[in-house]
Amino acid sequence: MDEKDILQDLKAKTIFLAEYAATLEAVGAQSSRIQYNTVRIAKSWGLWCNLLMLPQTINVTLHDEGREHSYTYVKKTPSLPLNFKINMKLSHLSWSAFDKKLPLDTLWEEFHKIGSEPRENAWTVLILVAFANACFCRLFDGNYTSMVIVWLATFVGFFIKQQLLRRQINELAVFVICSFVSTVIGATDFLYFHGGTEDMSLATSMLYLVPGVPIINGVMDILDRHVLSGMARLINACMLIVCIAVGLTLTVVLFKVDPNNFTKVIRPDIISASIADGLFAAVAGTGFAIISNPPRKALAITAILACIGHAVRYFLMHEPMLMLDQVTASTCAGLAIGLLAVPAAMTIHYPAEGFAFPALLPMVPGMFAYKAVRDLINIVQLPGSYTMEYVAKFFHNSTLTILVMFGMVAGCVIPIFIFHKQSYQVTRREK
């Protein structure tokens, strides 16, 4: 080929790789997976690829084998919902390209086919998420009255979220609205029902909004030295959490709800309580996983991992001979999930983080985060003599929230990093 043809070929392939990488980032793939998959396709063509991932764009530079010619293309990351099924299938595509030396036209055809696949039925997702958050309420010692209220709050709030996002309303505004609506329904336990665990009805009514996967991806990116991408994801997640807090604050202020009482349930039989905790976590993990549109074969594994992880954490925290703190227990539980996720991923050719991350979500320290928001409200509303007390409580609860999140994610990704080769080759099918 002459120089013009070489440049045209590089241009066409660079544009494909940029579209491919940007789509992976948009649907929630971890940065290392994006990089490995994109470079793998370039290698199938005998080309060199450099990838620069920025918060809103992907920069791809492709060189020919002799590095005499190059082409650079910058692609804006599209706005797409989390979709682990697309993550898996695009990873499969990268291995097919590498093993079978697929031409560019075939890759484009497969890429568009994968992107056009329908998501899980919206009503199915809505109902399962509602049950997931109701079980989340139970994990925080909410009674059956609280579970029913939280189910209704989640159903209404998540339905509003689906409709507003479909109309392309700003995501931050959507989170404020949904948080407010859900917490108003949760506050009815304080105002009318008085079911006995009113605090749990309010505190868990909006936890379905917590951006768990972006937080976990952000921590994993930082641990994997993709600091810029990780920080961008964490900052975006923090903005969404602030919006959730704004909705909660509006409810507390407008309806004069007292968020300072907390339920504490003592369960004497640690083994049966651990099993029950694990079973509720399995339902919660499955419901939260389906938001990310995973393949159905991954849901059962997610449920098992969530069950084991939460049961392990509960046992470590409440067994009299151990009585570990929540940070250490969460780290151990995350490690157990990570160790089981890698062989499970190899079995069904699915990224380990695809079901490990949703399995972690029932362990998200939502109550510490709720208490931190409560402390901020008290700093503003109560007399100045109480300010320092609630400032100290705010930093205490905020620090525990961060440490628990970091600990459980670090524990989970350690096996993925140790078995690095296996973790990033699980989507390779047999030749």
Side-chain angles (χ1 to χ4, degrees), residues 25-28 54-56 76-82 161 165 169-176 209-219 221-222 227-245:
E25 183 174 45
V27 299
L54 299 172
Q56 290 289 326
K76 189 178 186 301
T77 304
S79 179
L80 298 173
L82 290 173
K161 180 186 175 188
L165 290 179
I169 305 298
N170 180 271
E171 187 178 34
L172 299 178
V174 170
F175 269 63
V176 173
L209 290 168
V210 173
V213 172
I215 292 173
I216 295 169
N217 259 335
V219 174
D221 277 350
I222 291 173
V227 178
L228 184 59
S229 296
M231 290 301 298
R233 283 172 161 164
L234 288 177
I235 290 171
N236 183 58
C238 287
M239 292 171 62
L240 296 177
I241 291 171
V242 169
C243 292
I244 297 170

Side-chain angles (χ1 to χ4, degrees), residues 9 12-14 16-17 45 102-109:
D9 183 64
K13 289 175 178 176
T14 305
F16 172 80
L17 291 179
W45 296 324
L102 298 179
L104 183 59
D105 290 344
T106 303
L107 288 174
W108 271 118
E109 181 181 344

Side-chain angles (χ1 to χ4, degrees), residues 168-189:
Q168 298 184 337
I169 305 298
N170 180 271
E171 187 178 34
L172 299 178
V174 170
F175 269 63
V176 173
I177 294 168
C178 294
S179 175
F180 176 68
V181 171
S182 293
T183 52
V184 167
I185 296 173
T188 58
D189 203 6

Side-chain angles (χ1 to χ4, degrees), residues 10 46-50 61-65 67 69-71:
L10 283 175
L47 302 174
W48 299 91
C49 179
N50 292 318
T61 299
L62 205 59
H63 303 265
D64 62 359
E65 190 171 3
R67 293 185 180 269
H69 305 88
S70 65
Y71 192 86

Side-chain angles (χ1 to χ4, degrees), residues 313-324:
R313 186 175 78 164
Y314 187 92
F315 180 81
L316 293 176
M317 290 177 61
H318 295 89
E319 168 58 37
M321 296 289 291
L322 298 171
M323 297 295 286
L324 297 182

Side-chain angles (χ1 to χ4, degrees), residues 333-412:
L335 181 63
I337 289 174
L339 286 171
L340 294 172
V342 174
M346 296 170 68
T347 302
I348 66 170
H349 301 288
Y350 181 68
E353 62 269 23
F355 38 63
F357 288 0
L360 290 174
L361 294 182
M363 296 195 296
V364 167
M367 195 52 58
F368 287 137
Y370 170 76
K371 289 179 180 179
V373 174
R374 174 212 62 181
D375 296 332
L376 280 177
I377 296 172
N378 286 333
I379 290 170
V380 174
Q381 289 190 325
L382 295 180
S385 57
Y386 292 95
T387 298
M388 291 310 300
E389 175 187 349
Y390 282 103
V391 167
K393 287 183 177 180
F394 169 74
F395 280 103
H396 171 77
N397 289 313
S398 300
T399 302
L400 283 176
T401 301
I402 294 170
L403 290 177
V404 171
M405 284 295 302
F406 188 86
M408 70 182 193
V409 176
C412 180

Side-chain angles (χ1 to χ4, degrees), residues 89-224:
K89 292 194 173 184
L90 289 180
S91 296
H92 287 164
L93 182 61
S94 72
W95 280 112
S96 295
F98 186 79
D99 292 329
K100 301 175 183 178
K101 311 301 180 188
L102 298 179
L104 183 59
D105 290 344
T106 303
L107 288 174
W108 271 118
E109 181 181 344
E110 291 297 318
F111 177 79
H112 290 308
K113 181 179 176 182
I114 291 168
S116 62
E117 289 188 7
R119 293 179 65 89
E120 193 69 57
N121 180 270
W123 288 102
T124 302
V125 175
L126 179 60
I127 292 170
L128 286 177
V129 170
F131 277 109
N133 209 33
C135 289
F136 209 12
C137 174
R138 172 61 179 74
L139 293 175
F140 289 115
D141 297 325
N143 61 20
Y144 290 114
T145 301
S146 292
M147 290 178 68
V148 171
I149 292 171
V150 170
W151 190 94
L152 180 61
T154 306
F155 185 91
V156 174
F158 197 81
F159 177 78
I160 293 172
K161 180 186 175 188
Q162 287 178 324
Q163 299 305 312
L164 293 180
L165 290 179
R166 190 171 297 159
R167 289 164 175 76
Q168 298 184 337
I169 305 298
N170 180 271
E171 187 178 34
L172 299 178
V174 170
F175 269 63
V176 173
I177 294 168
C178 294
S179 175
F180 176 68
V181 171
S182 293
T183 52
V184 167
I185 296 173
T188 58
D189 203 6
F190 276 103
L191 302 173
Y192 304 111
F193 300 111
H194 307 293
T197 55
E198 296 94 332
D199 51 328
M200 295 301 109
S201 301
L202 177 63
T204 59
S205 60
M206 70 319 188
L207 290 184
Y208 68 93
L209 290 168
V210 173
V213 172
I215 292 173
I216 295 169
N217 259 335
V219 174
M220 187 175 179
D221 277 350
I222 291 173
L223 292 174
D224 204 18

